[in-house]
Amino acid sequence: MKDKILKQFDPLPTPDTELFIQEFRDIVPIKQDKIPPQRFCSKNISQGKRKNVANNKQIKQVAASFIFSDGFEAYFNPDEKIKYVKPGTEAQTIKRLARGDYAPEFLLDLHGLKQEDAKLEIAALLHAAHKKHVNCVSIMHGIGKHILKKSVPNWLMQHPNVLGFHQAPTEWGGKSALLVLLDVPTYFKKD
């Protein structure tokens, strides 16, 4: 039975197929010469790539750098929430910030960073916010050993674009974060 079915589907030799077979009789299949792509894991990154990544990071941070002084230390009452109002800024705007009327558009989490790295990240955040005309950002400094919790407000007070900051409401981090209000030119302010 199978033989009958197979014989029904065998193609009959045609002059075209016979000519094709005759023309390509001397052809030999090519051996596979492709090399599979090399996969790099993070441990095997080349030395040159490491330098490029480090250089790019340094270039970006220098472009967005602002020199924060560690010698400046403001007094914040430990019994009250951390807040600051730049002279000439309405205190009402910082009260609105504390109520959560301003939603931060950029969030920065400093957990696990050293002080020097945190400074650079804050400077880059403030630079990016100014470029994108963002008027409110959130900086999560954490609590931990209170190193960044004490340093971040001192750094923010030194930046010319910071109008004020307040301890964040619970939905934005509570005691471990600050909401920062930034100066945006009036013709770029969002409604």
Side-chain angles (χ1 to χ4, degrees):
M1 178 82 172
K2 286 184 182 179
D3 294 335
K4 288 182 184 178
I5 295 173
L6 290 175
K7 285 182 183 177
Q8 288 177 354
F9 292 109
D10 283 343
L12 296 173
T14 61
D16 290 336
T17 55
E18 287 177 6
L19 182 63
F20 179 82
I21 292 169
Q22 198 174 39
E23 289 294 322
F24 291 97
R25 186 169 301 172
D26 300 334
I27 303 298
V28 179
I30 299 174
K31 291 182 180 179
Q32 178 62 289
D33 61 349
K34 291 185 180 177
I35 300 171
Q38 189 175 6
R39 298 180 187 211
F40 292 104
C41 70
S42 60
K43 294 177 184 175
N44 297 337
I45 295 176
S46 69
Q47 191 69 18
K49 255 190 177 176
R50 278 193 199 134
K51 284 182 182 178
N52 286 343
V53 169
N55 287 343
N56 288 342
K57 183 179 178 183
Q58 191 176 21
I59 288 168
K60 285 179 184 177
Q61 288 178 339
V62 165
S65 68
F66 178 81
I67 307 301
F68 292 112
S69 170
D70 285 327
F72 175 77
E73 193 169 325
Y75 172 75
F76 294 102
N77 190 343
D79 299 330
E80 295 179 5
K81 293 181 178 181
I82 297 174
K83 63 182 175 184
Y84 164 74
V85 181
K86 183 178 183 176
T89 305
E90 294 179 27
Q92 189 65 27
T93 57
I94 302 304
K95 288 180 182 177
R96 290 177 55 204
L97 183 69
R99 281 196 310 252
D101 291 351
Y102 294 99
E105 295 182 54
F106 289 165
L107 305 170
L108 176 64
D109 189 355
L110 300 174
H111 284 98
L113 293 181
K114 296 177 184 174
Q115 267 188 306
E116 291 303 314
D117 295 335
K119 267 194 230 182
L120 293 173
E121 290 298 322
I122 290 171
L125 170 76
L126 297 176
H127 178 73
H130 188 71
K131 277 180 68 173
K132 298 287 184 178
H133 311 295
V134 171
N135 66 344
C136 184
V137 297
S138 175
I139 299 175
M140 176 90 55
H141 50 69
I143 296 175
K145 296 178 182 177
H146 297 284
I147 295 170
L148 289 179
K149 186 172 181 163
K150 290 178 183 177
S151 300
V152 170
N154 292 324
W155 296 332
L156 290 174
M157 288 177 68
Q158 298 172 40
H159 201 280
N161 293 339
V162 174
L163 294 176
F165 53 83
H166 200 283
Q167 180 177 310
T170 53
E171 66 263 20
W172 297 110
K175 293 179 181 179
S176 65
L178 292 174
L179 284 184
V180 184
L181 192 62
L182 301 171
D183 186 20
V184 177
T186 53
Y187 50 90
F188 285 115
K189 285 189 180 172
K190 299 174 184 176
D191 295 328

